[in-house]
Amino acid sequence: MNSRTPPAEPWSTQVNGETVTLPSSTVDIRAALPAERQAEFDAALAELDATGAPEELRTMRLVWWALETVPGAVEETDAEVARLRAGEYSGVVTLDENGDPIPLDGEAA
């Protein structure tokens, strides 16, 4: 397992309407996973290291593994992605080049 500096800020997300804190370092994510998933996690990180994956991809993969440590988080994320793929953007906000919010559903931010 590669020892990288953990993110400066803890990660959090909403699951079932509640804010949850996610493990945000490789050590903490691994420790939060069930024992039967830890070898798979180690292999996934080793593959990223072996292929020289960019740091952004590594971070995205770590976030996904962190989500797997919270019951219901992956399922809720999958449901949101399916909703967006279906063209349902209610409540979705992005930022413009100045950092100002732009709702994707046409509503005022």
Side-chain angles (χ1 to χ4, degrees):
M1 186 163 42
N2 188 327
S3 60
R4 306 257 179 132
T5 304
E9 299 293 322
W11 294 335
S12 64
T13 191
Q14 294 279 317
V15 178
N16 298 318
E18 300 209 11
T19 300
V20 296
T21 301
L22 302 172
S24 59
S25 71
T26 55
V27 171
D28 291 341
I29 294 168
R30 186 178 195 284
L33 289 167
E36 62 271 9
R37 299 291 314 276
Q38 291 176 354
E40 184 182 351
F41 175 72
D42 294 342
L45 291 185
E47 181 181 345
L48 290 171
D49 293 339
T51 61
E55 196 63 28
E56 294 82 9
L57 177 58
R58 182 182 177 80
T59 300
M60 287 175 44
R61 295 281 172 84
L62 285 173
V63 168
W64 191 257
W65 279 98
L67 284 171
E68 291 201 23
T69 69
V70 178
V74 170
E75 294 79 7
E76 189 169 316
T77 300
D78 286 345
E80 285 297 306
V81 169
R83 181 177 75 87
L84 294 171
R85 285 186 173 152
E88 167 53 48
Y89 301 116
S90 61
V92 177
V93 177
T94 188
L95 301 178
D96 67 13
E97 64 277 357
N98 298 317
D100 296 321
I102 301 173
L104 295 181
D105 61 5
E107 298 293 323

